[in-house]
Structures are given as C-alpha cells and as structure tokens.
C-alpha cells in the first residue's frame, strides 16, 4: 500500500472500535490505571466530538472494548494469584467490572461524553435474533452519541461457551456494527517478523494484509509461547474483522495521542488492511449464504431497474412473497419467471412484505402502522447474482 492509501484508509475510518487489554488497563494487575484510562477517554471524546483544529473534520463513532474485569477483581479481592476455578474467575469478573464501568463512566463524563455498559456473550453474537438486537442497541447508542464500553459477560459464561479473549470480542463487535477500523491497543508496538526478544533480525511490520497466512507464522503459529493469547490472537482478530471489511491497527497503548494521530492518517503500529471493502464484504457474505429464508418475486419493470440501473427494490415492484423471514434476513429476489436475479437483506418481515406488495412506499406507514425504510431491499444491501 502506498503511504497515501494508508493515510486515506485511517482518515476515512468513521466507525472505530478501540480495544484495550487487561495489562494496560490495570497496569500489569496493579489496579486500574486511572491516568491511562483517562487519556484514552480524552482521545475518544475528541474523536467522537470532532476537532477541526486537529484536522479531525466531522465526528467519528467510537466503541470501546475493554478488558480488565478479572484482573481488577483479583486486586480488589486481594488475590495475588489468578484462580483456576471458574466460579472464582466469575466472581472476580463481577467485582472488577464494577470498577471498570465506574472508571470509564467518570472519565468519559469528564470529557462531556455519555457512556453505556454493554456486556456480551458468545451466544448474543451467534444467535440471529440476539445478534440483531445487540446490533440495533449499539447503533442506537451511537446515534445518541453515547460511547458504548463493552466487555464479555464473564460472570455468566464458562470456558466452553466463551468468546475467550477480548481481541476476538473486538473483532466480533467490529463485524456486528460494520466498523471501518479496529484499533487494538496493547503493551507492544505492533507486529514483528519474529519474536524481537529472541531474534535480533526481527523486523517491524508496518503494513500487512489482514488474513495473510504469513502473518500467522510471524506471530508464532498456534501454540507457540509468544503467540498464546498474544500477537496470534490479534492477527486472527484482524482476519475476522476483515470479514466485514474492517482494517485493524495493532499499536502500543501508551503511545502519545495514538488514537488521534491514527485518525489524522498517521500510521502508528502495524496496520493490517482489509482486502475487501465494507460493502463488497457484505455482498460476498450474501452470495455465500447457503440458506435463504425466503424470496420476493418482482415484476419485469423492477427486474429491469435492479439489473440495469442498480436501484433499490421498492414494495411497488413486488408481486409475490415466499417463505417466512424476519427483518435483516438474507432473501432471494426472483424475476417474473422465477429465476434468482439477486439477493438482499429484507427491511421488512415476510408477513409485512405480503401486505406491502404493489404498494407505493408512501403507503407503508398506513399499511403497517410504522415505516422502517421506503425500500424493501436497499441497493447497498443488494447483490445481483446473475
Ligand atoms: N474479559 C476479560 C476481563 O475483562 C478479559 C479477556 C481478555 O483480556 O482478553 O477480565
């Protein structure tokens, strides 16, 4: 990537997920690092509010994923050693999460920003309906300019059903809200081609392609000592984030003004760029969908508009609705002969869609009692398959 394209990618990132790890948040387990947390909150507030004088035109939407509940809980409970028992870890998380939430709330409020605590579990992200609920809650918070502070709900999950580490959680959140950028703040400067502690020939990686298998080898490969819970999970998180088109930066959490400098286009740490753009990634995901919950049959006029002009599908062009689907499901769009011409995300459920067939969008509210969007499938959420 050229220097300019790196800078453009960083400057244009509007929705940013920032992840900080336990050792940074708790100062290696010594207790919540008030100064460091205050500093990230100050920078996030500038990003969220915009600051023309710093060259930050417009606002960014920022979501924080913070670890540290277990480490802080151990500190508060006076435990020097990390317990083995799940119930003790869960108890520590419950105690520590109070401190974390309180600290973020205080520091963000000092910057004039409202915050919200969101504790997620793997099941919240795996189940379709809960996924959509979590997504819509986070997007609503962003819309109200509230900064969500997320952690895994460690208190109610056991090892088998855990996301497990917050790098992965950060990537899942980036997928959930279709973020542009995931910033993983850590206690290292970024990625090296080999372990710099043991290999003097190790070189710093400034830019890479998220998902490139060579990166996994550099990070040590599965099971190696440096990779375990360290750089490898970050590389894998970058690959996951790239699935929805988000690029990842791995940077040192104590680097001065790291978040602000990144947002003005300065490359700090390692940038792992997503190979596919957000909209392309979403379209690919629809094409790869194996199970479609239903289909819309459209008339010849609508089919021509979708094919030729790249327009959205409006209810007026629909003649028939097949299957049972909910808002947000991937459905097929068929031409009058029944052949699939594309796929898209439904804005209305199958029950609603049946009522909307052949109706102009101006009548949606009268028919349903509310109106979510004027389109049945928005062109951004639509991909032509033939
Ligand atoms: N969720 C855990 C905590 O807050 C940390 C997981 C991680 O550090 O990756 O204590």
């Amino acid at each position: 990537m050229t220097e300019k394209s790196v800078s453009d990618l960083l400057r244009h990132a509007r929705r940013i997920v920032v992840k900080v790890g336990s050792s940074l948040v708790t100062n290696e387990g010594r207790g919540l690092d008030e100064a460091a947390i205050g500093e990230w909150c100050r920078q996030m507030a500038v990003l969220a509010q915009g600051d023309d004088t710093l060259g930050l035109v417009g606002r960014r939407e920022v979501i924080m994923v913070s670890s540290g509940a277990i480490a802080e809980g151990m500190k508060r409970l006076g435990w020097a050693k990390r317990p083995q028992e799940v119930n003790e870890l869960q108890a520590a998380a419950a105690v520590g999460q109070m401190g974390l939430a309180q600290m973020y709330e205080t520091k963000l409020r000092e910057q004039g920003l409202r915050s919200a605590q969101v504790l997620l579990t793997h099941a919240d992200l795996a189940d379709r309906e809960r996924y959509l609920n979590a997504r819509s809650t986070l997007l609503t918070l962003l819309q109200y300019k509230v900064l969500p502070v997320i952690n895994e709900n460690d208190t109610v999950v056991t090892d088998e059903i855990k996301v497990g580490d917050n790098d992965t959680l950060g990537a899942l959140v980036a997928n959930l809200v279709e973020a542009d950028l995931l910033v993983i703040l850590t206690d290292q400067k970024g990625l090296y081609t080999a372990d710099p502690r043991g290999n003097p020939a190790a070189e710093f990686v400034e830019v890479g392609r998220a998902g490139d298998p060579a990166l996994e080898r550099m990070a040590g490969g599965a099971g190696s000592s440096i990779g375990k819970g360290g750089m490898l999970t970050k590389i894998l998180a970058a690959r996951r984030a790239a699935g929805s088109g988000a690029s990842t930066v791995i940077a040192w959490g104590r680097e001065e003004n790291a978040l602000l400098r990144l947002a003005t286009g300065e490359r700090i740490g390692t940038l792992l760029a997503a190979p596919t753009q957000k909209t392309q990634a979403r379209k690919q995901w629809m094409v790869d969908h194996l199970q479609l919950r239903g289909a819309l049959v459209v008339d010849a006029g609508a089919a021509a508009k979708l094919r030729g002009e790249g327009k959205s599908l409006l209810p007026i062009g629909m003649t028939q609705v097949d299957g049972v689907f909910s808002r947000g499901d991937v459905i097929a769009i068929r031409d009058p002969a029944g052949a699939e011409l594309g796929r898209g995300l439904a804005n209305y459920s199958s029950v609603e869609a049946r009522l909307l067939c052949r109706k102009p969008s101006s009548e949606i509210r009268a028919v349903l009692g509310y109106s979510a969007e004027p389109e049945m499938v928005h062109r951004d959420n639509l991909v032509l398959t033939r």
Side-chain angles (χ1 to χ4, degrees), residues 125-347:
L125 303 166
D127 176 87
R128 174 105 197 118
E129 208 156 304
R130 284 162 75 170
Y131 182 92
L132 286 174
N133 286 342
R135 175 183 157 88
S136 124
T137 305
L138 287 175
L139 295 182
T140 305
L141 289 168
L142 292 176
Q143 201 182 329
Y144 283 101
K145 303 193 175 69
V146 177
L147 194 144
V149 180
I150 300 179
N151 196 358
E152 182 158 15
N153 196 353
D154 297 306
T155 302
V156 297
V157 288
T158 52
D159 274 356
E160 299 76 53
I161 54 166
K162 245 172 144 8
V163 174
D165 69 86
N166 276 9
D167 296 323
T168 308
L169 182 64
L172 290 169
V173 169
N175 294 154
L176 186 66
V177 299
E178 287 175 62
D180 302 299
L181 190 66
L182 167 64
V183 181
I184 299 180
L185 294 178
T186 179
D187 50 10
Q188 292 167 53
K189 293 229 161 213
L191 176 69
Y192 288 84
T193 51
D195 184 351
R197 290 168 297 190
N199 189 340
E203 279 174 37
F204 191 71
V205 179
E206 296 195 339
V207 179
R209 179 174 56 81
D212 180 352
L215 299 171
E216 290 165 38
R217 286 194 292 276
M218 290 174 195
S224 89
S225 58
I226 135 165
K228 214 181 292 165
M231 208 38 90
L232 184 62
T233 66
K234 294 174 178 48
I235 301 297
L236 296 177
R239 184 172 80 183
R240 196 184 282 272
S244 60
S247 295
T248 297
V249 168
I250 303 167
W252 187 41
R254 301 192 188 282
E255 178 88 44
E256 208 185 336
N257 281 326
L259 298 175
L260 298 180
R261 285 159 59 200
L262 280 168
T264 49
E266 186 177 334
R267 192 204 46 75
I268 295 176
T270 299
L271 167 68
L272 300 178
T276 30
Q277 301 256 301
K278 234 160 67 166
T279 38
Q280 248 175 298
R282 160 186 278 235
K283 288 185 174 177
Q284 191 55 47
W285 171 77
M286 284 191 275
V287 172
D288 293 344
H289 232 74
L290 292 178
Q291 285 180 345
L292 301 181
R293 298 189 174 241
L296 303 168
V297 181
V298 302
D299 63 23
K305 281 210 170 76
L306 295 178
R307 277 211 186 94
E309 301 166 40
K311 289 266 171 70
S312 296
L313 173 63
L314 302 177
I316 198 157
M318 302 177 339
T319 55
Q320 190 185 317
V321 178
D322 297 331
V324 178
F325 54 84
S326 314
R327 171 173 159 82
D329 280 338
V330 180
I331 50 170
I333 300 170
R334 300 190 193 285
D335 67 15
E340 179 177 313
L341 67 97
R343 290 173 178 200
L345 290 184
N347 276 343

Side-chain angles (χ1 to χ4, degrees), residues 313-317 348 356 358-367 370-376:
L313 173 63
L314 302 177
I316 198 157
Y348 295 95
L356 293 176
R358 292 255 160 256
K359 298 278 189 326
S361 300
S362 55
E363 284 179 23
I364 294 179
R365 187 176 295 277
V367 174
Y370 80 103
S371 162
E373 268 100 5
E375 310 85 13
M376 178 63 206

Side-chain angles (χ1 to χ4, degrees), residues 19-22 66-72 82 93 97 100 151-154 162 164-167 169:
K19 183 262 166 178
V20 281
S22 298
S66 177
S67 307
I70 294 174
E72 174 61 12
R82 191 181 166 95
Q97 186 61 38
L100 267 189
N151 196 358
E152 182 158 15
N153 196 353
D154 297 306
K162 245 172 144 8
D165 69 86
N166 276 9
D167 296 323
L169 182 64

